[in-house]
Amino acid sequence: FEGTTYTFTANNVNLKLEGTALGIAPVFGYDVTESFRPFAKVGIHQWDVDASVTSSAGNATLSDSGTDVMFGGGFMYKFNKNMALRAEYERYKFDDDDTDFISVSAQVTF
């Protein structure tokens, strides 16, 4: 995230940051082969963040929230009917800021 830099001249500074996000995104994919499936997703997420700073020089708080777009894509490779490898990239908007998320996961189906 881009932001503002602050210099503290006090001792015992406590910084606390809490955030939550909840979203929904349908996933669209196509089986190119029996094992390989690329996919794309697009959706929305609602987020909320609270930050506070306390020190011997004073206190400050910040709260922000919003509802923004998220999108991504990736692929799934099935080793067999029960095991697959999944890799994906997602981009989340937070007002004017973007956050990228890259993940690789194993999927086990029962």
Side-chain angles (χ1 to χ4, degrees):
F1 288 100
E2 294 180 11
T4 305
T5 303
Y6 296 96
T7 302
F8 294 99
T9 57
N11 295 325
N12 301 335
V13 176
N14 183 13
L15 176 63
K16 183 178 179 183
L17 180 65
E18 292 183 24
T20 58
L22 179 63
I24 186 167
V27 178
F28 306 96
Y30 179 76
D31 290 333
V32 175
T33 68
E34 190 174 302
S35 299
F36 184 70
R37 178 182 183 91
F39 61 86
K41 61 170 69 175
V42 63
I44 59 170
H45 70 112
Q46 185 175 14
W47 55 273
D48 180 51
V49 65
D50 296 311
S52 64
V53 177
T54 56
S55 73
S56 58
N59 303 325
T61 59
L62 170 70
S63 293
D64 198 4
S65 62
T67 301
D68 289 298
V69 175
M70 64 83 55
F71 59 89
F75 70 88
M76 183 168 57
Y77 182 82
K78 294 180 185 178
F79 296 106
N80 55 45
K81 68 177 188 171
N82 296 338
M83 299 271 310
L85 177 70
R86 184 174 168 138
E88 67 183 284
Y89 164 82
E90 296 175 346
R91 173 165 278 190
Y92 293 85
K93 297 284 210 179
F94 293 92
D95 286 339
D96 294 329
D97 295 316
D98 297 335
T99 298
D100 296 327
F101 179 71
I102 298 172
S103 66
V104 175
S105 60
Q107 180 175 317
V108 179
T109 306
F110 297 96

